[in-house]
Amino acid sequence: MADVSSIEHPTLKVPYDVLNKKFRLAQKTLDREVCHVTSAVTELERVLFTDSRSASQISSLLGGVVEKLSSFKRKAEEATQEEMESGRVVKRRVDHLKDHDSLSPSVVTEWKRTRLDRLLVEYLLRAGCYSTATKLASSRSIEGLTNLDVFLVAREVEQSLGCRDTSKCLSWCHDNKSKLRKLNSSLEFNVRMQEFIELIKSDRRMEAIRHARKHFTGQEPGHLPSIQRCMALIAFPANTDVTRYKELLSDVRWDQLIEQFRAENLKLYQLSSQSAFSVVVQSGLSALKTPHCYRGATGHNPDCPVCQPSLNSLASPLPYAHCSQSRLVCHISGEQLNENNQPLMLPNGYVYGQKALQQMASENNGTIVCPRSRQTFNIRDAEKVFVM
Amino acid sequence: MDACTAVGREIDKVLSKFTSYSDHASNTISSLRGNIESLQIEISQVGNGDITEAQAVILSQALGRVKEAVTRLSTEHRDLHSSVSKVGKAIDKNFTADFGCISNDSVFSGEKQQLVNEVICQHFFREGLLDIAEEFISETGLELQEESREPFFELNRILAALKARDLGPALQWAEENREKLRSQNSSLEFKLHRLAYINLIKEGPPCVPQAIEYARVHFTPFVFQHEKVIQSLMGCLLYVKGGLENSPYADLLTPHQWSEICDVFTRDACALLGLSVDSSLAVCVNAGCTALPVLLNIKQVMQQRAVHNMWNTKEELPIEIDLGPSSRYHSIFACPILRQQSTESNPPMRLICGHVISRDALNKLTTSAKLKCPYCPVEQNPADAVQIFF
């Protein structure tokens, strides 16, 4: 249960944020519709209390009220449906997480498999492998359980920024205005600045000045030095060599914008900068890592993940697993060595389990071959070893 | 499960409140609208004149009700916000938001990224997701040797055939690798033949001669290891006419046999090829998910030791993490005296009496060329201790 609460925060928080957003939208819609209805009603009341109480006029105004009420009903229904749908997404995910504790082992195994797929999808999305992630999610039917949508929207914005188009980014900023303000985000300002710079680059300086008048005047005081630098740019030609202004004109700024957008997107949804996948893999490698994995091929166990070549080099900077009690396994059979399978030492110092040695001896007239040194001994030469 | 139950409770509350609000809103507006519509009809019947005083009063009352109801609906919706935010609070309280604090960003960045991608690609191959693997390779520009893909293609092909209940490719593979399978004591080939035989029997009495012919040809080499099973297989011929489902041999027909053969095949094939049975990535992730909460709990200690040093030196984790008996891939010896893991420079030593301690412990316990075992009163010369290898 503890592992669910450790890594599943993003799984639930992101759809909750969507729910919150939908709620706010719904509230705005309702308030707007209430305004419409109230104004229509007030108009009618005004007519009622003046002297002209012409039936036809009142009748048509009443028709207007009915219309506004219908539109209110429709919009309210749509809005609450959306809210409920996002609430249901949260509920579905919570129910899925509950399976982790199920009493049936096959359900738990399947759940763990799904967990690995979910972690992989998130890692792939962060790494930018969008089509692999989408394919994986759809082949395992887990789209509802992953935050695919968030990253796909982000991808559109990133792609548009890559094409030097700022419209999608600006509409994204507008959608998330309140949250970005809470984060003190400078993204929108930077985008506007970049637009200004692009206007300068294409020599449309008058337009640039108008653009600056429109967008730079409402900015916070902290941005003043950047604004001043931008305005100074007007004085320089597009191929200037003065370093400070050359920097402003370089294309690298677009990449920086994309980076900033990515980071802000993650912060917005309270996603950490590292993917859960890499954190989990690191912890797992560390918990499985033993000195044996690094002692050359003789120590390797093909089942041990850390003995696999790629994972082996990935795990080298990580700490080893801590063990305060001995845990021994027989090198031949892989079974534990304990009082049912006592460890026996051959004269060359290698230790194996009693069961495996006895089986080998019974098939070979009492002789045993040490698998690691290829020396032969008789089973009677094996001595007991006592490990506390 | 408290975390999930708590959040589940809150979200259930929210959903039920929304449903009731939605119904209520819908009904209220419908009734208001109906009311106004009927008034409209009544007034339009007046024709070209003015409305009466009474009608005006009724009308203004109705309008007042409309305004009040609509405003109230908006306020009720706003009140739902507290339930919604309770969900968020439950999530924040019960789930850890920042789990990345104990690990290091740089471990997987840069060239290491390629290694991670290789591992992921291997995992896709093993799980049989070949087209996803191809997509991944093209998106990341990964370069894989052909040989690393080959075994998986073959295995997946045979497994797919087995899942479709086609034993042909599996039998062919088992025959080709007969020697190696026998040296591993694998009974795969016999089990495949057994399934084929049962399939023939299932068809009913007309197939019996075919089944007997099959048995004659294929069971003979296996008599020595599997005599009893062959006897029972031949015995079930008695019941074919009456229907095997009603005989003591009914369990031969279960579909469980098929899933079992897939498992046996995977296990034996992987052992043959020197691959691990489970995907290493899966094992690693499961281990990590068990380890992570333990590490988060002692986050404080880790931060005191300066996180960067923690994850960059060859030290040990500060806490023991029990992954269960199935995750013991290596023998680990911890000296009972000094409580340290054995290393190349500090190996386990067996004393004459059979007890095992580490070399450092041995040196510490030696006084003037004599050593007394800490567990039994046997004395010995320290040089008589033998280094052992687990």
Side-chain angles (χ1 to χ4, degrees):
Chain A
M1 186 248 117
D3 41 337
V4 167
S5 64
S6 310
I7 59 170
E8 303 288 359
H9 184 266
T11 313
L12 294 181
K13 199 65 202 291
V14 171
Y16 164 75
D17 280 336
V18 171
L19 171 62
N20 227 348
K21 215 198 274 189
K22 293 259 165 80
F23 179 88
R24 271 190 254 278
L25 271 176
Q27 187 67 44
K28 274 201 204 133
T29 313
L30 282 177
D31 287 338
R32 205 174 40 229
E33 292 300 309
V34 165
C35 244
H36 289 161
V37 172
T38 331
S39 67
V41 168
T42 323
E43 173 74 25
L44 186 50
E45 280 178 341
R46 193 181 55 79
V47 166
L48 257 189
F49 289 114
T50 61
D51 288 323
S52 66
R53 290 189 189 172
S54 121
S56 50
Q57 189 187 19
I58 290 185
S59 169
S60 66
L61 282 175
L62 274 176
V65 171
V66 169
E67 222 182 280
K68 293 284 188 320
L69 277 178
S70 308
S71 129
F72 182 103
K73 176 164 181 213
R74 197 182 60 240
K75 295 242 166 83
E77 267 172 13
E78 273 169 18
T80 35
Q81 280 309 315
E82 294 256 317
E83 288 171 308
M84 298 219 293
E85 186 50 42
S86 34
R88 276 188 219 119
V89 170
V90 178
K91 178 149 173 68
R92 269 197 293 268
R93 293 199 189 181
V94 171
D95 286 339
H96 172 76
L97 289 181
K98 283 192 188 157
D99 268 348
H100 163 254
D101 234 8
S102 150
L103 294 172
S104 139
S106 62
V107 172
V108 176
T109 325
E110 191 56 38
W111 189 90
K112 287 191 178 165
R113 200 152 170 248
T114 316
R115 173 174 64 188
L116 175 56
D117 290 328
R118 283 189 290 124
L119 288 172
L120 274 175
V121 168
E122 201 216 335
Y123 174 79
L124 290 169
L125 287 170
R126 280 173 187 250
C129 302
Y130 295 104
S131 73
T132 320
T134 338
K135 260 193 171 169
L136 180 59
S138 63
S139 76
R140 299 283 204 208
S141 315
I142 51 170
E143 294 102 323
L145 298 172
T146 62
N147 297 326
L148 204 52
D149 304 319
V150 170
F151 285 95
L152 287 178
V153 164
R155 169 167 81 145
E156 277 189 32
V157 174
E158 281 181 35
Q159 275 179 342
S160 77
L161 281 178
C163 300
R164 314 274 195 262
D165 170 26
T166 55
S167 53
K168 288 211 174 118
C169 187
L170 287 169
S171 65
W172 183 88
C173 290
H174 177 76
D175 280 341
N176 298 296
K177 211 191 311 196
S178 55
K179 280 228 177 108
L180 286 174
R181 198 178 308 143
K182 267 193 223 156
L183 292 172
N184 276 334
S185 152
S186 58
L187 182 63
E188 195 172 349
F189 171 67
N190 286 337
V191 173
R192 293 289 180 205
M193 217 163 70
Q194 192 60 33
E195 284 178 334
F196 178 86
I197 293 175
E198 291 300 316
L199 285 171
I200 301 267
K201 270 198 227 171
S202 47
D203 243 355
R204 284 143 52 191
R205 292 170 200 259
M206 282 315 295
E207 255 187 73
I209 298 181
R210 275 197 291 272
H211 177 91
R213 276 207 194 114
K214 187 163 148 202
H215 295 291
F216 288 172
T217 41
Q219 294 296 337
E220 292 153 40
H223 287 153
L224 193 56
S226 319
I227 300 181
Q228 285 178 332
R229 211 173 332 140
C230 270
M231 297 312 290
L233 194 54
I234 301 181
F236 289 83
N239 50 359
T240 179
D241 271 335
V242 180
T243 357
R244 195 183 266 213
Y245 296 98
K246 199 165 171 195
E247 267 172 13
L248 279 180
L249 292 168
S250 99
D251 280 341
V252 151
R253 287 185 61 93
W254 283 104
D255 295 328
Q256 285 171 349
L257 266 182
I258 295 182
E259 286 296 319
Q260 186 183 9
F261 165 74
R262 219 177 256 173
E264 303 252 337
N265 189 31
L266 288 179
K267 253 194 266 174
L268 197 81
Y269 288 102
Q270 286 183 294
L271 296 169
S272 93
S273 52
Q274 279 190 63
S275 69
F277 175 76
S278 59
V279 172
V280 166
V281 170
Q282 277 187 42
S283 320
L285 284 176
S286 204
L288 288 168
K289 184 178 173 186
T290 65
H292 285 277
C293 306
Y294 290 88
R295 273 190 204 151
T298 46
H300 281 190
N301 181 335
D303 279 331
C304 168
V306 186
C307 293
Q308 303 287 323
S310 320
L311 287 172
N312 199 294
S313 43
L314 274 175
S316 44
L318 298 172
Y320 287 97
H322 176 74
C323 246
S324 55
Q325 283 210 323
S326 298
R327 292 198 198 135
L328 304 171
V329 291
C330 168
H331 193 269
I332 298 178
S333 64
E335 282 184 44
Q336 283 184 52
L337 297 176
N338 47 30
E339 55 284 348
N340 297 332
N341 183 19
Q342 288 195 355
L344 296 175
M345 178 185 80
L346 300 179
N348 59 5
Y350 284 93
V351 175
Y352 301 100
Q354 185 183 25
K355 283 189 194 165
L357 287 180
Q358 276 172 351
Q359 186 182 16
M360 203 192 293
S362 66
E363 286 170 6
N364 287 306
N365 267 336
T367 32
I368 38 187
V369 179
C370 166
R372 287 179 272 189
S373 63
R374 301 251 168 256
Q375 295 166 311
T376 39
F377 304 97
N378 192 302
I379 183 123
R380 279 176 270 124
D381 297 332
E383 293 175 47
K384 277 214 184 138
V385 169
F386 302 101
V387 178
M388 298 304 185
Chain B
M1 275 345 273
D2 305 325
C4 290
T5 349
V7 178
R9 233 191 348 250
E10 296 300 327
I11 194 70
D12 281 335
K13 273 194 224 165
V14 166
L15 280 174
S16 69
K17 281 196 182 161
F18 269 128
T19 328
S20 63
Y21 171 81
S22 173
D23 290 338
H24 169 65
S26 200
N27 291 340
T28 319
I29 300 180
S30 298
S31 73
L32 281 177
R33 186 174 62 183
N35 201 358
I36 303 281
E37 270 172 348
S38 60
L39 280 176
Q40 181 188 18
I41 293 174
E42 206 185 297
I43 289 180
S44 61
Q45 282 167 350
V46 172
N48 277 331
D50 279 354
I51 55 172
T52 65
E53 192 60 39
Q55 281 174 328
V57 167
I58 297 176
L59 194 52
S60 69
Q61 275 179 350
L63 291 177
R65 269 206 307 274
V66 166
K67 264 210 277 200
E68 185 221 358
V70 159
T71 340
R72 198 179 52 227
L73 279 179
S74 172
T75 324
E76 277 173 8
H77 185 266
R78 193 167 297 135
D79 291 338
L80 289 175
H81 188 255
S82 66
S83 318
V84 171
S85 57
K86 274 201 194 134
V87 175
K89 288 194 194 123
I91 296 177
D92 282 332
K93 191 168 123 188
N94 287 300
F95 289 83
T96 322
D98 181 22
F99 45 73
C101 54
I102 53 162
S103 71
N104 196 342
D105 231 348
S106 63
V107 175
F108 282 0
S109 56
E111 321 88 58
K112 305 280 188 143
Q113 183 93 353
Q114 279 295 86
L115 290 171
V116 178
N117 290 343
E118 267 175 37
V119 173
I120 297 180
C121 201
Q122 294 267 349
H123 171 79
F124 285 146
F125 278 138
R126 176 182 293 270
E127 297 287 308
L129 304 169
L130 300 172
D131 49 346
I132 296 184
E134 294 298 330
E135 184 76 37
F136 183 62
I137 292 176
S138 63
E139 265 192 315
T140 52
L142 201 59
E143 283 162 18
L144 273 187
Q145 287 100 1
E146 276 308 311
E147 310 85 62
S148 58
R149 297 193 210 186
E150 279 307 309
F152 294 113
F153 284 163
E154 176 93 28
L155 284 181
N156 281 313
R157 196 178 51 89
I158 300 179
L159 262 179
L162 275 180
K163 285 195 182 133
R165 309 218 164 170
D166 170 18
L167 292 165
L171 276 168
Q172 191 185 5
W173 185 88
E175 263 180 53
E176 284 165 14
N177 294 293
R178 188 177 286 171
E179 282 310 311
K180 288 195 212 156
L181 283 171
R182 191 168 297 166
S183 67
Q184 270 174 219
N185 277 337
S186 150
S187 50
L188 177 66
E189 201 180 346
F190 175 66
K191 288 200 173 123
L192 289 168
H193 284 303
R194 180 167 163 263
L195 258 183
Y197 174 81
I198 294 175
N199 269 350
L200 284 171
I201 299 242
K202 256 199 257 190
E203 305 292 326
C207 286
V208 167
Q210 208 179 345
I212 298 181
E213 195 51 45
Y214 191 88
R216 276 214 185 106
V217 170
H218 291 113
F219 284 178
T220 1
F222 299 106
V223 155
F224 294 109
Q225 289 110 350
H226 303 282
E227 192 175 336
K228 279 236 171 347
V229 181
I230 296 182
Q231 284 175 348
S232 74
L233 283 175
M234 300 317 289
C236 71
L237 283 173
L238 288 173
Y239 290 92
V240 174
K241 217 170 190 190
L244 267 178
E245 307 81 42
N246 308 321
S247 73
Y249 294 100
D251 58 335
L252 286 179
L253 295 175
T254 55
H256 175 66
Q257 305 275 354
W258 286 98
S259 48
E260 202 206 323
I261 196 76
C262 288
D263 278 337
V264 172
F265 173 75
T266 319
R267 211 160 281 274
D268 287 341
C270 286
L272 198 96
L273 295 167
L275 301 166
S276 62
V277 174
D278 294 317
S279 157
S280 355
L281 188 61
V283 173
C284 197
V285 163
N286 286 337
C289 290
T290 323
L292 194 59
V294 179
L295 293 174
L296 282 173
N297 274 339
I298 54 155
K299 183 172 64 169
Q300 300 280 5
V301 177
M302 308 265 296
Q303 279 178 340
Q304 272 172 20
R305 281 212 212 170
V307 176
H308 278 291
N309 282 342
M310 192 71 245
W311 288 81
N312 274 330
T313 64
K314 294 201 191 293
E315 279 185 37
E316 287 183 0
L317 290 173
I319 196 171
E320 182 158 357
I321 297 171
D322 185 13
L323 297 171
S326 55
S327 299
R328 292 196 197 144
Y329 300 108
H330 296 283
S331 288
I332 302 173
F333 174 72
C335 174
I337 317 271
L338 297 175
R339 297 252 163 244
Q340 285 170 351
Q341 271 191 57
S342 60
T343 62
E344 295 279 81
S345 49
N346 185 21
M349 309 288 286
R350 180 182 179 273
L351 305 176
I352 294 184
C353 50
H355 290 118
V356 183
I357 56 178
S358 65
R359 186 183 281 162
D360 285 351
L362 191 137
N363 291 337
K364 285 210 168 113
L365 289 172
T366 305
T367 51
S368 59
K370 266 215 194 147
L371 170 65
K372 181 179 157 322
C373 170
Y375 292 103
C376 57
V378 172
E379 277 193 6
Q380 65 177 77
N381 189 333
D384 288 339
V386 182
Q387 182 179 346
I388 55 175
F389 307 91
F390 287 110

